[in-house]
């Protein structure tokens, strides 16, 4: 609404000045005023002042602040050690011995530890998924997150202006965003959005949607909740490409409070600098590389393509091409340009130059989709072991929590006491479609190590842990 208003002022003010001049020229009083044009010049100066003021307000950067965020910590009763997982799937008659052995090998190589969690529906034998179980999981995760976030920020539910929820696999009616509005008795004019089917990169997409809303609606709070409800999504067939998801996905979620209020500038933890989204859905291979479908026995699962790593790498390169000019220093951009030029007009076999992104960011939060995903991205970005530590430790402690994993990683950096004022954080989300999304934040104030309420508070001293290398 505000940009539209500025555009109208931009167009109408010069027109108004021209009309007034024309009136003066055509009126009989022009002769009598010709000796004193002070009033005209004052009016003209005021018009130009308003004109340039509107240009300034239209072009200036509108800040989006991250006031605070919380990550879901499952209750101890949901803990699912690897041995318990193997015992559980052995009790499912639909699994063939080869499928059980395949899941054991995947689990062994996954990088998951003994403390990741699955929802209550996966603790009951025999496994009988129901919508009621999914609703129970959604309420446990989402209400716990929102309760904790509102308590930490001291913001009342009726102060929330925008609600954005993303969950790919569970999309009930009424929506999960409506469930939040109902539970917390929010205002009737709250702007509510519910995103489904957008995969593990949906968390950054939700931030983008909330950002766009905040750029339009001033003096507002936006609540973003990102999760994956998996109670009904244990695949019980024998198609290998669908069995991998059983071994990686775990229970989790995050809630984020954004604002454009000037009053939140001092206490906000971070400010959003850039957000770049890449969608490779036009390519058939990319579109189908993470695909929910039925197998030959009509059992629904998520199929992961054997080309997933190559497709993820390709999507990342496209995303980097758009993000690089926004964040890289001029020296790195020049080296990259010279490399491209040499490959194009010189030797095509010359290896491409990979910019040093450690000169642009202090912290990296790569989607913890699996051990192979983290290692592939670390190789593409030339990151050291310490720089992907938050991703590897998040995978070990919480598993693949889908779209919320970058927030567990950011919480890890904070809990380790590594976040300092001015530090830049790069969150990378990869998801079905195929999509690669990047969000760049800058820390606005010092963050206490393992502050009260942190999801890592009770275990951060144990990390990092050594994860044994597994032979291919």
């Amino acid at each position: 609404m505000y940009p539209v208003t500025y555009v109208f002022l931009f167009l109408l003010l010069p027109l108004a000045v021209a009309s007034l001049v024309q009136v003066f020229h055509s009126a009989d009083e022009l002769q009598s005023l010709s000796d004193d044009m002070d009033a005209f010049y004052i009016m003209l100066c005021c018009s130009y002042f308003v004109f340039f003021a509107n240009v300034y307000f239209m072009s200036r950067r509108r800040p989006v602040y991250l006031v605070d965020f919380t990550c879901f910590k499952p209750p101890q009763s949901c803990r699912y050690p690897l041995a318990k997982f193997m015992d559980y799937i052995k009790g499912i008659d639909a699994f063939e011995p080869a499928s059980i052995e395949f899941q054991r090998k995947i689990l062994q190589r996954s990088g998951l530890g003994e403390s990741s969690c699955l929802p209550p529906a996966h603790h009951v034998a025999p496994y009988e998924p129901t919508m009621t179980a999914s609703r129970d999981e959604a309420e446990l995760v989402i209400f716990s997150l929102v309760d904790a976030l509102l308590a930490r920020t001291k913001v009342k539910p009726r102060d929330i202006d925008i609600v954005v929820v993303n969950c790919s696999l569970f999309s009930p009616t009424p929506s999960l965003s409506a469930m939040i509005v109902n539970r917390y008795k929010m205002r009737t004019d709250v702007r509510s959005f519910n995103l489904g089917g957008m995969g593990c990169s949906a968390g950054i997409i939700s931030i983008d949607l909330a950002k766009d809303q905040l750029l339009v609606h001033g003096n507002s709070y936006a609540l973003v909740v990102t999760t994956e409800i998996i109670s009904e999504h244990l695949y019980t067939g024998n198609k290998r490409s669908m069995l991998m998801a059983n071994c990686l996905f775990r229970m989790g979620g995050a809630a984020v409070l954004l604002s454009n209020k000037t009053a939140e500038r001092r206490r906000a933890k971070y400010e959003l600098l850039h957000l770049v989204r890449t969608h490779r859905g036009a390519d058939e291979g990319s579109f189908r590389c993470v695909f929910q479908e039925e197998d030959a026995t009509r059992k629904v699962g998520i199929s992961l393509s054997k080309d997933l790593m190559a497709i993820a790498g390709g999507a990342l390169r496209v995303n980097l091409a758009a993000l690089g000019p926004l964040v890289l220093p001029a020296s790195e951009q020049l080296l990259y340009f010279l490399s491209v030029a040499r490959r194009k007009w010189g030797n095509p076999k010359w290896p491409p130059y990979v910019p040093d992104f450690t000169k642009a960011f202090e912290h990296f939060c790569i989607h913890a989709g699996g051990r192979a995903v983290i290692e592939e991205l670390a190789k593409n970005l030339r990151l050291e072991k310490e720089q992907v530590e938050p991703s590897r430790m998040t995978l070990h402690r919480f598993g693949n929590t889908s779209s919320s994993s970058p927030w567990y990683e950011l919480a890890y950096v904070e809990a380790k006491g590594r976040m300092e004022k001015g530090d830049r954080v790069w969150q990378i989300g990869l998801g079905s479609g195929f999509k690669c999304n990047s969000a760049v934040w800058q820390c606005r104030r010092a963050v206490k190590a393992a502050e009260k309420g942190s999801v890592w508070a009770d275990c951060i001293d144990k990390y990092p842990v050594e994860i044994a290398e597994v032979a291919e």
Side-chain angles (χ1 to χ4, degrees):
M1 185 64 188
Y2 298 116
V4 173
T5 302
Y6 291 141
V7 168
F8 275 113
L9 286 172
F10 179 87
L11 295 174
L12 291 178
L13 281 171
L15 182 62
V17 172
S19 300
L20 287 171
V21 172
Q22 183 63 30
V23 169
F24 278 126
H25 275 294
S26 60
D28 295 336
E29 290 84 359
L30 180 62
Q31 186 66 34
S32 61
L33 293 174
S34 60
D35 295 333
D36 189 2
M37 295 294 290
D38 289 348
F40 171 76
Y41 286 124
I42 291 173
M43 180 187 66
L44 188 62
C45 290
C46 290
S47 299
Y48 275 109
F49 173 78
V50 174
F51 168 77
F52 286 112
N54 276 282
V55 170
Y56 168 74
F57 283 113
M58 288 174 63
S59 60
R60 72 170 182 168
R61 186 168 170 271
R62 298 176 178 85
V64 173
Y65 302 116
L66 191 161
V67 181
D68 212 334
F69 70 97
T70 58
C71 296
F72 176 71
K73 184 178 180 181
Q76 189 67 16
S77 59
C78 292
R79 182 171 169 267
Y80 224 90
L82 306 187
K84 180 176 180 178
F85 179 87
M86 291 306 305
D87 289 341
Y88 191 77
I89 64 172
K90 287 176 182 177
I92 298 177
D93 294 336
F95 285 133
E96 298 173 353
S99 296
I100 295 174
E101 176 61 15
F102 177 75
Q103 291 180 83
R104 186 193 67 79
K105 290 181 178 179
I106 293 297
L107 204 62
Q108 183 183 17
R109 301 177 182 184
S110 66
L112 271 70
E114 300 292 337
S115 299
S116 62
C117 297
L118 285 170
H122 291 221
H123 294 256
V124 178
Y127 175 63
E128 294 179 351
T130 64
M131 176 170 275
T132 299
S134 292
R135 284 189 184 276
D136 290 343
E137 181 190 354
E139 292 178 359
L140 172 63
V141 174
I142 294 175
F143 293 161
S144 298
L145 286 169
V146 177
D147 286 345
L149 184 62
L150 295 180
R152 290 179 67 172
T153 59
K154 309 299 182 185
V155 172
K156 298 178 181 179
R158 293 188 63 82
D159 293 333
I160 302 296
D161 304 282
I162 301 154
V163 176
V164 182
V165 180
N166 72 266
C167 179
S168 292
L169 297 176
F170 182 57
S171 185
T173 300
S175 67
L176 297 176
S177 60
M179 184 179 77
I180 293 176
V181 173
N182 174 260
R183 164 69 178 244
Y184 295 95
K185 309 305 177 189
M186 295 181 175
R187 304 193 317 265
T188 56
D189 63 343
V190 65
R191 297 172 184 86
S192 172
F193 303 88
N194 200 94
L195 305 180
M198 303 197 78
C200 298
S201 66
I204 295 178
I205 296 173
S206 292
I207 295 294
D208 190 29
L209 176 56
K211 177 208 70 175
D212 289 344
Q213 288 292 308
L214 289 171
L215 293 180
V216 175
H217 303 288
N219 202 38
S220 299
Y221 284 114
L223 171 65
V224 176
V225 178
T226 174
T227 187
E228 195 61 79
I229 305 303
I230 58 176
S231 287
E232 297 180 79
H233 298 285
L234 178 69
Y235 173 64
T236 57
N238 293 283
K239 188 175 180 180
R240 289 199 169 187
S241 62
M242 293 182 175
L243 289 170
M244 295 178 68
N246 289 350
C247 305
L248 297 174
F249 285 94
R250 293 296 184 266
M251 191 180 188
V256 183
L257 183 67
L258 302 176
S259 181
N260 54 13
K261 291 176 179 281
T262 305
E264 294 292 356
R265 183 176 180 177
R266 286 191 175 183
R267 73 160 177 165
K269 279 187 173 182
Y270 304 95
E271 182 177 345
L272 182 63
L273 299 184
H274 306 288
L275 200 150
V276 176
R277 293 169 56 181
T278 301
H279 202 308
R280 302 294 301 276
D283 175 71
E284 193 67 23
S286 298
F287 175 70
R288 299 189 66 90
C289 71
V290 181
F291 204 81
Q292 187 178 27
E293 59 184 345
E294 292 178 331
D295 65 9
T297 62
R298 302 233 169 191
K299 291 182 177 178
V300 177
I302 299 174
S303 178
L304 304 180
S305 168
K306 62 182 180 180
D307 299 322
L308 177 58
M309 291 300 98
I311 291 170
L316 176 66
R317 285 190 290 273
V318 175
N319 191 265
L320 294 183
L323 180 66
L326 301 176
V327 299
L328 287 171
S331 58
E332 288 298 308
Q333 295 190 50
L334 177 61
L335 290 173
Y336 178 76
F337 173 77
L338 293 176
S339 171
V340 172
R342 181 164 186 172
R343 284 168 57 85
K344 185 173 183 179
W345 292 296
N347 183 4
K349 296 182 179 180
W350 185 266
Y353 177 73
V354 179
D356 184 1
F357 280 92
T358 62
K359 295 182 178 180
F361 306 107
E362 284 73 35
H363 309 288
F364 299 83
C365 298
I366 300 171
H367 167 54
R371 188 173 185 169
V373 172
I374 297 172
E375 291 177 355
E376 179 69 17
L377 267 65
K379 181 178 71 174
N380 287 343
L381 297 172
R382 297 191 306 173
L383 299 180
E384 299 296 332
K385 183 178 179 180
E386 293 75 15
Q387 292 162 330
V388 293
E389 180 185 313
S391 300
R392 296 172 69 246
M393 296 306 104
T394 292
L395 181 66
H396 181 272
R397 171 62 182 85
F398 295 100
N400 179 353
T401 61
S402 188
S403 56
S404 63
S405 67
W407 297 105
Y408 285 90
E409 294 155 14
L410 183 56
Y412 180 89
V413 176
E414 291 184 354
K416 278 293 183 181
R418 299 173 182 172
M419 187 64 68
E420 298 180 2
K421 183 178 180 180
D423 283 1
R424 295 154 298 178
V425 183
W426 182 12
Q427 290 182 321
I428 306 174
L430 298 167
S432 58
F434 190 85
K435 299 181 286 293
C436 178
N437 301 320
S438 293
V440 179
W441 305 88
Q442 186 168 39
C443 183
R444 293 191 53 82
R445 61 175 174 84
V447 180
K448 295 180 181 179
E451 60 185 13
K452 184 179 179 181
S454 170
V455 72
W456 292 94
D458 66 337
C459 63
I460 192 63
D461 293 337
K462 302 175 183 177
Y463 287 93
V465 298
E466 285 297 325
I467 300 177
E469 297 294 333
V470 180
E472 292 295 332

